[in-house]
Amino acid sequence: MNRVEKIFSEIRPWYLIVPFVILTLIAIFLEPSFQVPYGKEEKKLLNMIESIPEGSKVLVAVNYTPQTRYELDGSFHLIVRELLSRKVGIVFMTLTEMGIETISMGVRESLSGISSQEWSAVYGKDYVNIGYFAGGTLAAGAVSGSIFSMRGSDVFGNDLKNMSVMNGVDSFSDFSAFIELSSMKIDGTPAAVLFNVLSKGEGTPVIAVVTSDMVPEYIPFRKSGRIDILIKGSRRMAALERAFNNPGISTVRYSIASVLLVFIIFMIILSNIKNLVTGRK
Amino acid sequence: MNINSDIGVWIAALLTLGVFSALYKETALFRFVESVFIGVSAGYFFCIWFFSVISPAISDGVEGEWHIFIPIITGILILVLRENRFSRFLTVPASLLAAVFIALNFIIYFRAYIVDMVLSSVQPLVVFDDKGGVNWGLTINSIVSVTGTVSVLIFFAARRYPDVKMIRGYGEIGRFYLLVAIGTSLGYTLFSRILIFAGRFDFLFSEWLGIRFY
């Protein structure tokens, strides 16, 4: 074993964690902000949200858990603020058990820092959280056509029929749009597809905003037309903020991850050089 | 530096550090955190399922929608009929649940996974724009897409007919497409995991310790 081989062979896997952690901290504290140009999908979503008439209702499915909030929260805040500021009612639901917490935290953060002079949102009047639905319950409810057949009360036990945000809403086709923010599939199928196939709401636009790891799962359905607009992962979420002329946490978080990804690619190249030098295959 | 005084944030921070301790080696702290995570998850999921699914179903059943009791009784039977002298009847409730699941999912899978996918794969190889000229971008996209679909199908056929040279040759192109797909998928997953990792550090330093340099 020569000197170079000895140096490389003494590198332990966990040694790499230390520079990675240091770089992560530097990236977080420097808050880089790479501007990503927006494309057709982001522009389409912007136009779609702008075209929703005041007083309409939108169904937002929050199918991600608190651990993936770091990636999806930016888009959640952006969409919720845009809809509520345009006086569009939001009905939140989730198809994952942890989604109830995600909705509560997301709404609280979306509304924080908004002064009442700009606009305000009241629970029950402007938005409601109807809670968790098992995939089978949603399928059965969608086949029957009525939301109230699936659930008569919100997540706090209040009667949905007494809430003004539910006025004019009975079936899925009464919504102006279905927006899914997702980091997982539900019973093996994207929830946006589940909704599109079962809801009979042929004219209701279906939008999916998904985490990077879910992009390969959702792309075939965008291509086949089951999903009308697909925001594909962190990079496109940053582009979405650009489209709305509102660069925020998605842009910063995408930039942080990009810096770290460059470091990982550098490490992969280095490990290949190590294997080349030590003759390991 | 403005350390958070919320007990919940402190517990979350200490548990996060416990999980990160596994980066060095599997410690007792990591095993403890792992057990806490499994236990808390089970308890949380039980509550959500009970109050969001089981309890409303029983209420609806009591209020006259008696058909709700069919899946409830079926579920109870699956639990009760296990490993006793009546276990041979377990197939009845199990097959009922399987039949309902298949019936509900058949529509979704047939339409979204078979009909739509086949229809979207059938496309013209040469795409023209509004003025009648060839749209080269979409044409190349179409050729790449059709070549990929066909060659991947041939790749699986090549495993069945390894002696036919032509099939094996096209299969190699399919293998290339599959590797590109797997690589892309791994790249996306890596990016997502990096964000989760960065998210935990952001939580530890910004929310827990209250350190912000800007």
Side-chain angles (χ1 to χ4, degrees):
Chain A
M1 189 183 279
N2 63 34
R3 204 167 148 230
V4 179
E5 283 175 354
K6 201 170 173 225
I7 292 168
F8 275 116
S9 63
E10 280 174 2
I11 296 174
R12 297 282 172 268
W14 69 270
Y15 287 0
L16 299 175
I17 297 298
V18 177
F20 189 72
V21 167
I22 293 168
L23 192 69
T24 306
L25 294 176
I26 292 170
I28 289 170
F29 291 129
L30 289 181
E31 282 209 337
S33 183
F34 305 147
Q35 297 300 316
V36 184
Y38 59 86
K40 284 181 189 169
E41 293 289 282
E42 293 80 34
K43 182 78 181 159
K44 214 170 150 186
L45 180 55
L46 171 69
N47 293 339
M48 196 278 295
I49 287 181
E50 282 180 345
S51 67
I52 297 175
E54 196 177 297
S56 303
K57 309 294 178 332
V58 169
L59 184 62
V60 177
V62 182
N63 301 326
Y64 64 97
T65 53
Q67 65 257 39
T68 46
R69 283 182 66 214
Y70 197 70
E71 188 168 1
L72 277 162
D73 263 0
S75 298
F76 182 95
H77 297 168
L78 181 76
I79 290 168
V80 167
R81 283 177 185 162
E82 285 294 327
L83 291 173
L84 290 177
S85 64
R86 290 168 201 279
K87 299 283 173 205
V88 175
I90 303 178
V91 178
F92 289 104
M93 64 175 286
T94 178
L95 295 166
T96 170
E97 293 85 349
M98 305 286 276
I100 296 174
E101 300 299 322
T102 316
I103 294 171
S104 306
M105 287 189 278
V107 171
R108 196 169 56 239
E109 287 168 9
S110 301
L111 299 180
S112 68
I114 304 293
S115 70
S116 56
Q117 288 161 342
E118 293 175 66
W119 52 270
S120 61
V122 179
Y123 186 82
K125 180 173 164 278
D126 300 300
Y127 68 96
V128 65
N129 179 2
I130 57 174
Y132 166 70
F133 291 87
T137 314
L138 180 74
V143 170
S144 76
S146 172
I147 290 173
F148 296 107
S149 71
M150 292 194 305
R151 181 69 47 85
S153 57
D154 71 351
V155 73
F156 305 110
N158 304 312
D159 194 350
L160 284 178
K161 285 185 175 163
N162 294 334
M163 293 187 175
S164 55
V165 70
M166 295 302 285
N167 288 346
V169 174
D170 183 44
S171 70
F172 285 108
S173 55
D174 294 327
F175 289 106
S176 296
F178 173 83
I179 302 175
E180 185 200 8
L181 294 115
S182 178
S183 68
M184 62 182 66
K185 294 201 287 185
I186 308 299
D187 295 341
T189 308
V193 176
L194 200 68
F195 172 83
N196 187 286
V197 175
L198 295 171
S199 70
K200 300 165 195 157
E202 298 287 330
T204 311
V206 175
I207 298 112
V209 182
V210 298
T211 49
S212 303
D213 56 340
M214 276 290 112
V215 174
E217 310 281 350
Y218 276 68
I219 282 181
F221 298 102
R222 172 68 188 96
K223 198 166 182 286
S224 71
R226 281 284 164 202
I227 296 170
D228 297 297
I229 301 170
L230 177 62
I231 305 299
K232 302 184 281 281
S234 183
R235 182 176 164 79
R236 301 326 303 171
M237 288 179 213
L240 183 67
E241 288 189 335
R242 186 89 187 270
F244 280 89
N245 201 18
N246 187 12
I249 54 177
S250 286
T251 307
V252 173
R253 289 170 182 181
Y254 161 71
S255 307
I256 291 169
S258 299
V259 172
L260 296 175
L261 192 66
V262 169
F263 174 77
I264 288 177
I265 291 168
F266 176 71
M267 282 299 155
I268 289 169
I269 294 168
L270 204 67
S271 70
N272 279 306
I273 293 171
K274 177 194 167 186
N275 289 347
L276 199 71
V277 170
T278 55
R280 212 177 109 196
K281 288 189 177 174
Chain B
M1 194 162 163
N2 183 17
I3 297 175
N4 201 313
S5 57
D6 188 339
I7 184 78
V9 173
W10 270 83
I11 291 171
L14 295 176
L15 291 177
T16 305
L17 290 174
V19 172
F20 278 150
S21 70
L23 289 172
Y24 175 63
K25 65 176 185 181
E26 194 173 313
T27 57
L29 180 63
F30 173 73
R31 281 198 293 274
F32 169 74
V33 173
E34 198 179 23
S35 305
V36 168
F37 181 75
I38 293 167
V40 171
S41 299
Y44 178 83
F45 277 44
F46 173 79
C47 289
I48 295 289
W49 274 85
F50 185 79
F51 291 108
S52 298
V53 182
I54 299 169
S55 176
I58 292 171
S59 300
D60 289 345
V62 171
E63 285 169 14
E65 293 183 39
W66 60 267
H67 59 274
I68 295 283
F69 284 115
I70 297 172
I72 292 174
I73 293 167
T74 310
I76 291 169
L77 281 176
I78 285 180
L79 292 174
V80 170
L81 294 179
R82 288 172 72 120
E83 293 172 11
N84 60 28
R85 63 198 171 100
F86 299 110
S87 60
R88 64 182 180 278
F89 296 114
L90 186 65
T91 50
V92 178
S95 56
L96 181 66
L97 282 186
V100 171
F101 183 82
I102 291 166
L104 285 172
N105 282 283
F106 179 78
I107 312 163
I108 301 161
Y109 277 84
F110 187 74
R111 286 183 67 181
Y113 283 81
I114 299 175
V115 177
D116 287 355
M117 294 296 169
V118 171
L119 284 176
S120 65
S121 301
V122 179
Q123 51 188 327
L125 274 178
V126 182
V127 184
F128 296 97
D129 58 24
D130 297 339
K131 293 171 186 168
V134 177
N135 185 330
W136 287 107
L138 288 178
T139 300
I140 292 168
N141 188 30
S142 183
I143 291 169
V144 169
S145 174
V146 171
T147 314
T149 308
V150 174
S151 61
V152 168
L153 288 172
I154 290 173
F155 168 73
F156 289 108
R159 297 182 66 176
R160 197 174 169 87
Y161 307 103
D163 300 332
V164 184
K165 270 187 178 175
M166 201 176 78
I167 292 179
R168 210 172 56 198
Y170 280 120
E172 283 301 304
I173 301 172
R175 199 166 73 100
F176 170 76
Y177 270 90
L178 279 176
L179 288 172
V180 169
I182 293 166
T184 311
S185 184
L186 280 173
Y188 272 122
T189 306
L190 179 66
F191 201 83
S192 217
R193 296 297 176 267
I194 289 172
L195 274 160
I196 292 173
F197 184 80
R200 293 325 296 162
F201 269 89
D202 196 29
F203 165 77
L204 284 177
F205 282 84
S206 306
E207 207 166 322
W208 181 43
L209 297 176
I211 301 171
R212 283 207 175 268
F213 285 6
Y214 50 90

